[in-house]
Amino acid sequence: MTEMVFGTVPLRATDPVLPRWWRTIDKWALTAVFALFGVGMLLGLAASVPLAEKNGLEPFYYVKRQALFGGVGLVVMVALSMMSPQQVRRIGVVGFALAFLTLMALPVIGTDFGKGAVRWISLGFASFQPSEFLKPGFVIVSAWFMAAALEVAGPPGRLYSFILTALIVVTLALQPDFGQASLILFSWMVMYFVSGAPILPLVAAGGLSAAGGFLAYNMSEHVARRINGFLSAEVDPRTQIGYATNAIQEGGFFGVGVGEGSVKWSLPDAHTDFIVAVAAEEYGLVLVLGIIALYAVVVLRSLSRMMAERDPFARIAGTGLAFAFGVQALINMGVAVRLLPAKGMTLPFVSYGGSSVIASGIALGFLLALTRTRPKNEIARILGNRPAA
């Protein structure tokens, strides 16, 4: 009856995979992701050369590695974006289990690379950060629990997801990795809200987070130093924040010119945590606004598609993935312009890092798969636009 009134949805189960994928994928979001990676490669040509020279490597050593890791991440993203929501859930659950077990094993097999926090596992030829791969799987598992709670006589999925979140947040805070812990907690709170849960537990979670931050400030010299530096009226020009702030001011609207920036020679993390400072100095506010616009395209397009999604799991998981992606970018850029305390978080698809770009590819692959146009979503959109009788 629906087809007689509104017409058939242009989706045939017998279609080849690639044409069906191309017809249903969010092309704007997909294009924005590839553009972000292109911007990251462009900035890497400038930001990573000083580090390569310092380490006695060829000038474009890190650029080549980023191209390799980025290629893997984009291939993984496209492959995962072809999956159905059911397949996304299965892959996400398995991936989460592996990442969670690896995270719990960090005190035994992990390393800190002299940075004071045991966050990485070294493979000799490369290293990876389990918490990066934990995030997309965590969103999928939490969404699965919350969606199950909406079923008749379903399990207490929201409670299970809260217990899981608390365990992960405490584990990350003990590393210490307060940036990733905050992002995990925020993602859970967003999904909890979208699942239709009462507001009181969210207020309680916010209060516990504030209490945890207060304890961390009083018990961790590392956290206290970063917060005090953030709250200080004056910025020490010899710190990373000082160099980044000066670079952004020097760049102005159009930048000092390609390759003419100096901050990349002063900042040890210019190619990772403070890549936006390099962009602002050499290319100016114009490029920074362009980067922000690309992130906004991915997040807003995904959220707009989630509004028409009728599957609870897909709606909750898609919203969580979109917010996690956007908030991570917001935190990275907020730190660079001194709107937030330093957290050591990469800019997805733009900063250098194998773990970051591959994990981002997994997360965006899940997101693109969940935001693909499906028959029931198209029918819901048509019904929603139908004029009132």
Side-chain angles (χ1 to χ4, degrees), residues 230-295:
F230 169 70
L231 296 176
S232 175
E234 298 182 359
V235 180
D236 187 344
R238 297 166 298 178
T239 62
Q240 293 198 87
I241 292 293
Y243 287 125
T245 302
N246 182 69
I248 293 171
Q249 293 174 346
E250 291 292 328
F253 198 80
F254 295 106
V256 299
V258 180
E260 299 298 321
S262 60
V263 70
K264 59 194 177 188
W265 297 97
S266 306
L267 277 173
D269 295 325
H271 62 310
T272 54
D273 300 348
F274 291 93
I275 191 74
V276 73
V278 177
E281 184 181 32
E282 297 198 0
Y283 297 91
L285 181 63
V286 174
L287 180 60
V288 175
L289 291 177
I291 293 173
I292 294 173
L294 290 173
Y295 283 110

Side-chain angles (χ1 to χ4, degrees), residues 208 331 345:
L208 290 174
I331 290 174
M345 195 169 289

Side-chain angles (χ1 to χ4, degrees), residues 111-164:
T111 181
D112 63 355
F113 289 112
K115 297 184 178 182
V118 182
R119 303 177 185 174
W120 296 270
I121 291 181
S122 177
L123 302 177
F125 61 91
S127 62
F128 70 95
Q129 191 172 346
S131 61
E132 290 283 358
F133 296 93
L134 183 77
K135 288 182 293 186
F138 164 78
V139 171
I140 297 300
V141 171
S142 295
W144 182 29
F145 284 152
M146 293 180 188
L150 299 177
E151 298 177 0
V152 178
R158 296 191 184 101
L159 176 61
Y160 294 161
S161 69
F162 173 75
I163 295 172
L164 182 64

Side-chain angles (χ1 to χ4, degrees), residues 63-86:
V63 177
K64 293 177 181 178
R65 285 176 64 87
Q66 182 70 353
L68 174 62
F69 291 132
V72 173
L74 292 176
V75 169
V76 169
M77 180 188 73
V78 171
L80 290 176
S81 69
M82 297 181 182
M83 304 298 172
S84 67
Q86 293 76 19

Side-chain angles (χ1 to χ4, degrees), residues 255-379:
V256 299
V258 180
E260 299 298 321
S262 60
V263 70
K264 59 194 177 188
W265 297 97
S266 306
L267 277 173
D269 295 325
H271 62 310
T272 54
D273 300 348
F274 291 93
I275 191 74
V276 73
V278 177
E281 184 181 32
E282 297 198 0
Y283 297 91
L285 181 63
V286 174
L287 180 60
V288 175
L289 291 177
I291 293 173
I292 294 173
L294 290 173
Y295 283 110
V297 166
V298 176
V299 174
L300 296 179
R301 291 280 304 181
S302 299
L303 293 179
S304 67
R305 290 199 169 203
M306 287 297 97
M307 292 177 65
E309 179 58 60
R310 300 174 64 189
D311 179 4
F313 165 74
R315 183 175 65 251
I316 297 170
T319 303
L321 290 167
F323 268 94
F325 180 73
V327 170
Q328 180 170 339
L330 185 65
I331 290 174
N332 177 278
M333 290 185 280
V335 168
V337 298
R338 204 169 174 249
L339 289 175
L340 294 170
K343 291 184 178 298
M345 195 169 289
T346 58
L347 192 60
F349 288 107
V350 177
S351 295
Y352 172 83
S355 295
S356 175
V357 72
I358 295 176
S360 296
I362 294 172
L364 265 294
F366 288 160
L367 180 60
L368 289 170
L370 295 172
T371 56
R372 283 173 59 188
T373 303
R374 290 184 290 277
K376 60 182 179 181
N377 294 343
E378 186 67 13
I379 292 173

Side-chain angles (χ1 to χ4, degrees), residues 1-8 382-383 386:
M1 182 65 182
T2 302
E3 294 180 356
M4 293 174 61
V5 177
F6 299 106
T8 58
I382 293 172
L383 289 173
R386 184 181 180 184

